[in-house]
Amino acid sequence: MNYKIAVVPGDGIGPEVVEQALRVLDKIGEKYNHTFEYTYVDMGGCSIDKFGVPITDEGIEICKQSDSVLLGA
């Protein structure tokens, strides 16, 4: 099966936690023959720095259209 996952690393320790979670998902994919398509979305301070808002409308739409959202809060 193929799954679309929006990956929102967030700020602080979020990116490190999300990185490890993605490693786990990749192993699950290998073992159970799943494919994960990751799309990264900026949120929080990094989004404010880049775009001036906590999350863009495009980022919200990517999350809505995904099968799941991995949020590193």
Side-chain angles (χ1 to χ4, degrees):
M1 296 191 87
N2 185 38
Y3 298 97
K4 292 181 358 181
I5 300 178
V7 179
V8 187
D11 297 319
I13 196 169
E16 287 114 8
V17 173
V18 167
E19 180 183 339
Q20 299 308 311
L22 291 174
R23 290 179 65 196
V24 172
L25 283 174
D26 289 340
K27 288 294 181 185
I28 289 169
E30 288 175 21
K31 181 169 179 143
Y32 296 103
N33 201 29
H34 296 311
T35 304
F36 300 109
E37 179 184 330
Y38 304 124
T39 304
Y40 286 81
V41 175
D42 289 322
M43 186 178 89
C46 60
S47 180
I48 291 171
D49 290 344
K50 286 183 185 177
F51 308 111
V53 293
I55 188 168
T56 63
D57 291 339
E58 179 185 2
I60 291 171
E61 196 56 39
I62 290 169
C63 291
K64 286 181 177 179
Q65 292 179 5
S66 297
D67 296 309
S68 183
V69 176
L70 176 59
L71 173 63

